Amino acid sequence: MSETVIRVANVSKVYGTGEAAATALSEISLDVERGSWVAVMGPSGHGKSTLLQIMGGLDRPTRGQVYLHGIELTTLGSAQLAQTRARAIGFVFQSFNLLPHLTALENIQLALWFGGKGDEKGHAQAMALLDSVGLAEKAHLCPGALSGGQQQRVAVARALANDPDILLMDEPTGNLDSAAEAELLALLGRLHEQGRTIVMVTHNPAVAGRARRVVRVRDGRIEGDRVNGS
Ligand SMILES: Nc1ncnc2c1ncn2[C@@H]1O[C@H](COP(=O)(O)OP(=O)(O)OP(=O)(O)O)[C@@H](O)[C@H]1O
Ligand SMILES: [Mg+2]
């Protein structure tokens, strides 16, 4: 039997109120099974990032429930939510969200520190993570001195810091050239083989083709949901 690690149940998200109200998600339901690799596709502005952030407990739904390992996230207080999230989920944001005044290495060390890893272990592990995304030689540069694709790879390394079971990635290959994209996809393939659950938003059909399941979002609704190769 497969186990559901994330359950999105009848979730709607409305930003703003009154005349400014914008519905980003309309009654979306989606189950993500342990160890699955899901691509989320769809046109710009149709709710993909909103869905990912709500799945990861970074944003709250206006209506509906989100369950992470069976725990309903909306019932948790903010400290409990932060702790649950830090343990279970690695997140790669569409805009990377690296801290600009920390080096690549320090950005990852900070995430390790949040996960309870002190300086010495954290340093070695952060270097190993940077090495795994091909950026060991850039460890001491701040994000402003890195290319978009390099920042993205630092963000991926940071998402892996606390060894999460679930990776939620918003356009993880969006700024990469084809060689870097191939490397990152190979890394994701290894993570998938290790049994991790991956949900990634992508506009790139070739990238989505590596996932086992493709969910299409349009107008804040699920328009399609199919297993690759079927
Ligand atoms: N914080 C916010 N406040 C108000 N509206 C928002 C906010 N975040 C998103 N929206 C709106 O919600 C809708 C969905 O946005 P979302 O970022 O989820 O789209 P997306 O599918 O990820 O698009 P893209 O492919 O361009 O990244 C858009 O119309 C957007 O303007
Ligand atoms: Mg988006």
Side-chain angles (χ1 to χ4, degrees):
M1 272 297 285
S2 55
E3 177 198 343
T4 299
V5 288
I6 300 177
R7 163 161 290 170
V8 175
N10 291 312
V11 160
S12 297
K13 178 70 183 181
V14 181
Y15 288 110
T17 52
E19 291 206 346
T23 300
L25 297 177
S26 295
E27 293 181 13
I28 280 203
S29 294
L30 184 70
D31 282 0
V32 177
E33 307 302 330
R34 179 183 290 285
S36 60
W37 185 352
V38 182
V40 178
M41 299 191 80
S44 177
H46 282 238
K48 304 179 302 296
S49 294
T50 303
L51 176 61
L52 209 65
Q53 295 196 5
I54 285 178
M55 284 172 108
L58 292 164
D59 202 352
R60 287 178 188 272
T62 309
R63 284 185 298 281
Q65 293 82 38
V66 179
Y67 300 87
L68 176 63
H69 296 302
I71 299 168
E72 195 199 325
L73 295 181
T74 50
T75 64
L76 301 180
S78 54
Q80 251 182 323
L81 178 62
Q83 202 179 45
T84 304
R85 202 170 48 211
R87 275 202 288 255
I89 293 179
F91 213 102
V92 176
F93 298 89
Q94 195 165 10
S95 50
F96 321 141
N97 289 10
L98 297 174
L99 293 172
H101 301 297
L102 298 184
T103 66
L105 186 72
E106 289 163 348
N107 264 281
I108 297 169
Q109 276 185 285
L110 183 66
L112 287 164
W113 184 81
F114 276 123
K117 287 244 169 66
D119 283 355
E120 255 163 54
K121 261 192 177 168
H123 183 273
Q125 204 177 335
M127 274 309 291
L129 284 161
L130 275 178
D131 195 37
S132 75
V133 294
L135 283 179
E137 78 281 12
K138 303 284 185 187
H140 298 290
L141 295 180
C142 290
L146 299 173
S147 72
Q150 289 167 341
Q151 290 179 47
Q152 197 149 26
R153 282 187 276 159
V154 175
V156 170
R158 181 182 59 179
L160 296 172
N162 293 311
D163 202 19
D165 281 340
I166 303 170
L167 289 164
L168 301 179
M169 306 189 154
D170 205 342
E171 294 280 1
T173 65
N175 286 282
L176 303 181
D177 64 22
S178 54
E181 177 185 295
E183 268 173 41
L184 182 56
L185 284 173
L187 173 64
L188 293 184
R190 290 195 295 278
L191 295 166
H192 173 67
E193 274 163 26
Q194 290 165 5
R196 289 184 223 241
T197 309
I198 302 173
V199 181
M200 62 178 187
V201 172
T202 180
H203 282 105
N204 183 337
V207 171
R210 298 293 298 273
R212 299 294 170 269
R213 175 181 171 198
V214 180
V215 171
R216 287 181 186 278
V217 173
R218 179 179 289 273
D219 286 330
R221 296 173 192 278
I222 297 201
E223 174 190 55
D225 189 346
R226 66 175 179 80
V227 174
N228 265 336
S230 69

